[in-house]
Amino acid sequence: MSSSLSLTVRDSSTMLRRNLLHARRYPSLTLQLLLTPVVLLLIFVYVFGDVMSTGLGGHADRSAYIAYVVPGILMMTVGGASLGTAVSVCTDMTEGIIARFRTMAISRGSVLFGHVAGGVLQVMISVVLVIGVALAIGFRTDATPLEWLAAAGLTALVGLALTWLAVGIGLSSPNAEGASNTGLPLMVLPLLGSAFVPVDSMPGWFRWFAEYQPFSPFIETLRGLLLGDAIGKNGWLALGWAVALTVLGWMWSTSLFNRDPSSR
Amino acid sequence: MTTPTTPATPATPTTSAPRELAIAATGLRKAYGDKTVLDGIDLAVPAGTVFSLLGPNGAGKTTAVQILTTLIGADAGELRVGGHDLASAPDAVRAAIGVTGQFSAVDNLITGEENMLLMADLHHLGRREGRRVTAELLERFDLVEAARKPASTYSGGMRRRLDIAMTLVGEPRVIFLDEPTTGLDPRSRHTMWGIIRELVAGGVTVFLTTQYLDEADELADRIAVLHGGRIVAQGTAEELKRLVPGGHVRLRFTDPVAYESAAAALRDAVRDDGALSLQIPSNGSQRELRAVLDWLDAAEVEADELTVHTPDLDDVFFALTGSTTAADSTTSDSTTSGSNAGSTAPAARTAADSTADSKETVR
Ligand SMILES: Nc1ncnc2c1ncn2[C@@H]1O[C@H](COP(=O)(O)OP(=O)(O)O)[C@@H](O)[C@H]1O
Ligand SMILES: [Mg+2]
């Protein structure tokens, strides 16, 4: 058991190194996906900032809106980075070397674990970069180190969940384009949540969706940790969603990967 | 022994001392939907030999390789590779085998050297050992110069060599090569043949698929012809050649008197009075040739020309399946201008190379 675990860890880290090598050699996909949240952040703050901030009620100004919008942008960054994993998993599956891996005495799951580990790493790096941009344009927080740590943990957990889903999307898509289309909700869903305006300012049916889709508790929890707002039940909801999506994505991906390639 | 005739020996396995089988399949079946690709085939490959599965495009060679290498499942059949049961111990099988599939299985985004080091890591070689093995194999496969270039920039032949080099990293005991020379230019093809011979000299078992009869003839200890989902013939190249009629010795005369007396002496001969030539069925072996010569001596006649005509695998394939694979299906003739009587020297069939499918697709 422990030897099979160490085999898994060893092979997965080999696969991770391979994926990082790919990302380093061909960084365009990563950069492209990173660009979207950064550009959105700038547009929302500088173009719509004054208008949008009225949605916050009271006498909010632009800096208050930056603070409001950053957690949503960060979750969008997480979604975007995992979308990248969907595309790269899909492309990777068309590579002949995957067939070679399948005929080798290596840990069966290592190919996917490598992609997931690489995906989560990319999520974290992307989030750090976007936080850097946010700080540069005036985002301020009085979060304590413990709150930062919790925020990092939440980001990693959400990253893990979305990356596993992305792996499944990548495995089930016929080509890279299909993968990026199917995976688009990962990046767009935060927009349809509480990322840019509070949920209560939305029309009824939409509000219901926005409130209960997983990105809203993710965003609300992150907002609470970074800005000191009340988290309430959102913390548990976020945790529950993340764990559930992780398990779902993992089971889905594994069954897709272990399917006999000839029975398609 | 009066008349040399073609012995109609069926190609049965040459039973030497019972050897451990590296690959054993009984009743292997596989269908895609209602299309049966492998319809109950039996294979037995003794350890340390080269076995060639010969068949035209679409015969099911790749399917057989994919099943035997654990890539896809079989519908039925008892299968053992490297001494392990495929169904119950696939990982043990994987540990014993190395596979170079029909389509290149290298990582095109990274360099040749990185591909090799990746294999070393997956075989759990230490850092230093991994570097040593990588350097050694890159050298052996003439890839040192290209080692630091992305595999996507490699030529077909280079990629094939890298593919095989990667397969060898774990020192597999059983190696599967699915059409290793398809799509290669004649020169790379001969390089590949040399590589395969070296592998065999190292004692590993090689399971080779090919569409080329000359390739099977060159490399394989035993050949199985796959057609219509079944093994239609199996044996050594020689045994297979004996399956088809057509091997003969041809004697040509200029003197009609000598022709007549030879014809009288060799009653088995088929006469061609117009050309003053006799055709005597023969497998081209030294023994049978000598018998013919002895008869001629005894009859005190001298032929002006003696030609040995041996059927090659193209004839075999044609006889068995009713179609040829290679563009060239002529038999090889060798005139006795001294010593090469009976040699089967397969002509280099470059025509076949040009029809080769050089597409490198992946599924
Ligand atoms: N995944 C698949 N689904 C359906 N049919 C397949 C599949 N793979 C191969 N075949 C069919 O099985 C037959 C044998 O194919 P293959 O084993 O690739 O032949 P070969 O390697 O001898 O050219 C072909 O008719 C091919 O079309
Ligand atoms: Mg094939």
Side-chain angles (χ1 to χ4, degrees), chain A residues 262, chain B residues 32 35 37 56-63 102 179 363:
Chain A
S262 72
Chain B
Y32 286 112
K35 180 179 176 9
V37 177
N57 228 338
K61 302 180 297 296
T62 297
T63 305
Q102 182 172 357
E179 300 199 26
R363 274 201 279 266

Side-chain angles (χ1 to χ4, degrees), chain A residues 68-259:
Chain A
Y68 182 82
V69 90
V70 161
I73 291 286
L74 290 180
M75 276 304 153
M76 196 175 174
T77 310
V78 176
S82 54
L83 177 58
T85 302
V87 174
S88 56
V89 166
C90 185
T91 329
D92 200 26
M93 289 305 132
T94 64
E95 286 278 333
I97 199 163
I98 296 295
R100 180 185 287 283
F101 292 152
R102 287 177 189 274
T103 62
M104 292 175 70
I106 58 177
S107 150
R108 198 83 177 138
S110 62
V111 174
L112 300 187
F113 292 144
H115 274 294
V116 168
V120 172
L121 215 62
Q122 288 205 37
V123 163
M124 298 311 275
I125 293 170
S126 305
V127 165
V128 167
L129 290 175
V130 173
I131 288 179
V133 174
L135 289 172
I137 63 168
F139 173 65
R140 294 295 172 261
T141 163
D142 42 18
T144 64
L146 204 64
E147 283 168 329
W148 271 114
L149 202 66
L154 176 75
T155 309
L157 202 60
V158 173
L160 183 70
L162 299 190
T163 302
W164 268 119
L165 282 182
V167 170
I169 290 168
L171 289 172
S172 60
S173 301
N175 51 42
E177 204 178 9
S180 92
N181 289 339
T182 316
L184 209 58
L186 293 173
M187 197 151 170
V188 172
L189 273 179
L191 287 171
L192 312 178
S194 61
F196 300 108
V197 285
V199 170
D200 356 312
S201 65
M202 297 172 176
W205 62 272
F206 193 78
R207 182 197 300 187
W208 185 88
F209 174 78
E211 204 168 334
Y212 289 99
Q213 66 124 323
F215 273 100
S216 289
F218 293 158
I219 293 168
E220 289 308 313
T221 307
L222 192 58
R223 195 169 273 147
L225 290 169
L226 293 183
L227 305 177
D229 298 0
I231 294 174
K233 66 177 195 318
N234 279 319
W236 292 112
L237 269 177
L239 204 64
W241 269 116
V243 171
L245 291 179
T246 301
V247 172
L248 191 79
W250 169 62
M251 280 171 32
W252 182 36
S253 304
T254 308
S255 84
L256 285 176
F257 187 73
N258 289 343
R259 187 173 56 172

Side-chain angles (χ1 to χ4, degrees), chain B residues 3-348:
Chain B
T3 48
T5 52
T6 310
T9 324
T12 45
T14 35
T15 41
S16 51
R19 272 167 102 177
E20 183 204 338
L21 289 181
I23 302 167
T26 328
L28 170 55
R29 301 177 63 87
K30 177 76 180 179
Y32 286 112
D34 51 12
K35 180 179 176 9
T36 302
V37 177
L38 300 175
D39 194 9
I41 68 172
D42 300 339
L43 301 168
V45 183
T49 65
V50 183
F51 180 89
S52 177
L53 190 60
L54 180 66
N57 228 338
K61 302 180 297 296
T62 297
T63 305
V65 169
Q66 288 178 333
I67 290 170
L68 292 172
T69 58
T70 77
L71 194 59
I72 65 175
D75 295 340
E78 203 173 306
L79 311 168
R80 293 181 74 79
V81 173
H84 305 282
D85 185 69
L86 268 162
S88 62
D91 260 326
V93 171
R94 291 181 187 126
I97 63 172
V99 189
T100 299
Q102 182 172 357
F103 304 110
S104 103
V106 309
D107 189 333
N108 283 307
L109 303 182
I110 59 180
T111 69
E113 187 178 39
E114 286 163 346
N115 267 290
M116 294 298 292
L117 291 171
L118 174 65
M119 289 300 116
D121 283 344
L122 291 175
H123 281 102
H124 305 147
L125 304 184
R127 223 181 131 72
R128 180 174 299 174
E129 176 71 356
R131 298 221 157 261
R132 188 186 65 74
V133 169
T134 295
E136 196 179 291
L137 285 168
L138 287 175
E139 171 82 45
R140 179 166 152 202
F141 288 94
D142 196 18
L143 289 166
V144 175
E145 248 170 76
R148 302 270 160 100
K149 295 193 183 114
S152 56
T153 64
Y154 285 19
S155 72
M158 285 161 75
R159 196 166 305 152
R160 267 281 127 129
R161 295 205 300 277
L162 175 61
D163 216 332
I164 295 191
M166 287 167 72
T167 300
L168 296 187
V169 170
E171 298 191 343
R173 288 182 292 122
V174 184
I175 296 178
F176 291 85
L177 301 170
D178 193 2
E179 300 199 26
T181 66
T182 300
L184 297 189
D185 59 79
R187 198 191 145 120
S188 308
R189 206 163 160 230
H190 280 271
T191 311
M192 195 56 70
W193 285 3
I195 289 169
I196 295 167
R197 286 199 193 94
E198 267 177 46
L199 292 180
V200 181
V204 303
T205 309
V206 175
F207 186 101
L208 169 87
T209 78
T210 181
Q211 302 187 35
Y212 304 126
L213 303 159
D214 57 337
E215 185 160 290
D217 201 355
E218 275 290 310
L219 299 170
D221 295 312
R222 289 180 61 75
I223 299 166
V225 181
L226 185 59
H227 183 72
R230 294 178 169 278
I231 302 287
V232 290
Q234 190 162 185
T236 63
E238 292 311 312
E239 284 168 339
L240 290 184
K241 284 174 192 168
R242 262 183 253 136
L243 283 178
V244 285
H248 60 259
V249 172
R250 195 178 151 95
L251 301 172
R252 218 167 50 76
F253 300 86
T254 43
D255 177 6
V257 181
Y259 170 68
E260 283 303 333
S261 40
L266 300 162
R267 280 180 307 161
D268 233 27
V270 178
R271 301 170 59 122
D272 181 349
D273 292 341
L276 291 186
S277 75
L278 294 173
Q279 204 167 301
I280 305 126
S282 162
N283 63 3
S285 71
Q286 190 183 348
R287 204 167 49 125
E288 294 197 357
L289 277 179
R290 181 164 298 133
V292 172
L293 295 174
D294 287 347
W295 271 103
L296 291 172
D297 281 348
E300 293 185 353
V301 286
E302 198 168 323
D304 293 279
E305 188 184 294
L306 185 149
T307 319
V308 180
H309 179 108
T310 41
D312 67 7
L313 280 172
D314 273 312
D315 296 312
V316 177
F317 203 83
F318 188 73
L320 291 170
T321 69
S323 66
T324 47
T325 54
D328 176 356
S329 66
T330 58
T331 50
S332 43
D333 287 88
S334 45
T335 305
T336 47
S337 56
S339 59
N340 69 339
S343 82
T344 57

